[in-house]
Amino acid sequence: METRLAELRKRMQEIADLQGAAAVLHWDQATYMPAGGAPGRARQLATVERLAHEKLTDPQLGNLLEELRALEESLPYDSDEASLIRVTRRLYERASRVPADFVSELAWHRATTYDAWARARPANDFALVRPFLERTLTLSRELADFFPGYDHVADPLIDYVSEPGLKVATVRALFSELRKELVPLVQEIARRPPPDDSFLHRGFPTDRQLAFSLEVARQIGYDLQRGRMDLTLHPFTTTFSLGDVRITTRVRQDDLSEALFGTIHETGHALYEQGIDPAFEGTPLAMVLSSGLHESQSRLWENLVGRSLPFWNHFYPRLQEVFPEVLGDVPLEAFYRAINRVRPSLIRTEADEVTYNLHVILRFDLELELLEGKLTVRELPDAWRERYRSDLGVVPPDDRDGVLQDAHWFEGIIGGAFQGYTIGNILAAQFFEAAQREHPDLLHQFARGEFRTLLEWLRDRIYRHGGKFTLAEMVERVTGGPLRIEPYLIYLRQKYGELYGPL
Ligand code: ZN
């Protein structure tokens, strides 16, 4: 059995190496590649992803997994060995439904579409990407059809790209419950006088913004011996191996929040990846497939930590030192209120914590309408504007800050891309509540610039397990119960009640 297990590890290592190579190719495309590289890059990604897929669907791997079933069943569910066999089997069975030609075509199409989007967004030219997106929609439906018997066409897509086992019906119920609470909350806050945040939009030199953001990332625990930061159009975190976890960011001179909170967000993702048990390197256990779990960590660090008053008790004097001409005369309290200003806005990644989920829920609904055939790609920009008008009361003046703002549909499939953000927000509060129960002085530690206790707790309870557990299993293990929206609502009401008056 030991040799069988070694054989499994060897096979999965080769697949992980190909996936790591694909990640480098994609990262390079999104950071440094000159425009002329796009056609070659799409071809290279298609080839590498085909090879990885062929290895993952090799019938001999299936035989090996059958031979290992007895070993798996003899071991505890959460042991490394049983988890490796279980998670590999899930990947094998899922991948085996999808032909290698399709995987390769989708990889080519994704890279080509990303290139078109990268040109279309600055040019505000939706027509340029429309045919690509129409093809994406077709490919997304075809992908779903490799998994017949679904309740909703998006079910297999969510399972495939972002949240194993999660169904549309579950997300819809969760979102409608949340929406019922959030809409009146946003309206109530909108009636209160807003804080002044004009100083966040004075000029902040790019190089100093980047240096400060990276300093914050490092102080909360990002290991630069195993990571680095580069500029991109739409920030992401990517893992080439557990020794090389990279973040990306973007900067605007007239908006301090973009690079700062975007970087803390990506650092949260990177802390998760850097915290995975090094023994999992080269196996599927080194990959966290759940977008909800991953976003719970980016949003936890970005918001519950990074937008808290104690966090800025520590960092604000340093920030004032970096930008004395702009922030020298702005008191901490005013800065804290400004970075937590609630205001319906156009851009999801810059949205405040209270309105953020409305951006997500409308994207999720539009995705489903596209997949259900109730909405065409041609109608999408108008549908987008209409939902912003009705849900947030703001209307994008153009597609650049409308339907073209997020890379997701233009670098992946349609379906499964967005629900993880809101699930992540909910979970972040639930996990943080659990951490505070064990360490009631966490916020006091932040004020002293100490993030170690929280990081160690998260590593121990969540990060080190990598891809061992599904979202539902992880929530149960960490909090002793299922996913609940109450801690999130309590957190919002308390924090924004203090900022805006009782809610
Ligand atoms: Zn994220």
Side-chain angles (χ1 to χ4, degrees), residues 265 269 295 298 421:
H265 178 100
H269 285 304
E295 288 303 324
S298 52
Y421 290 104

Side-chain angles (χ1 to χ4, degrees), residues 342-353:
V342 177
R343 172 174 34 193
S345 62
L346 296 175
I347 308 290
R348 173 186 60 84
T349 56
E350 294 158 25
D352 61 81
E353 288 177 276

Side-chain angles (χ1 to χ4, degrees), residues 173-231:
L174 185 70
F175 282 9
S176 86
E177 197 187 342
L178 185 64
R179 216 182 124 85
K180 248 187 1 232
E181 303 283 341
L182 285 178
V183 171
L185 195 61
V186 170
Q187 288 168 348
E188 184 53 43
I189 292 175
R191 279 196 281 273
R192 316 269 171 98
D196 173 26
D197 67 348
S198 58
F199 48 84
L200 294 179
H201 302 281
R202 297 178 195 160
F204 295 90
T206 301
D207 52 342
R208 281 190 263 160
Q209 283 200 54
L210 287 173
F212 181 77
S213 298
L214 193 58
E215 186 182 322
V216 170
R218 197 182 49 75
Q219 279 198 44
I220 60 180
Y222 182 44
D223 178 0
L224 287 165
Q225 295 300 311
R226 298 188 292 143
R228 56 175 281 134
M229 180 168 85
D230 296 274
L231 288 169

Side-chain angles (χ1 to χ4, degrees), residues 63-83:
N63 296 338
L64 192 56
L65 287 165
E66 273 316 302
E67 290 168 23
L68 284 164
R69 200 180 280 275
L71 175 65
E72 181 195 352
E73 284 164 4
S74 74
L75 293 166
Y77 182 87
D78 61 357
S79 72
D80 291 356
E81 291 78 11
S83 299

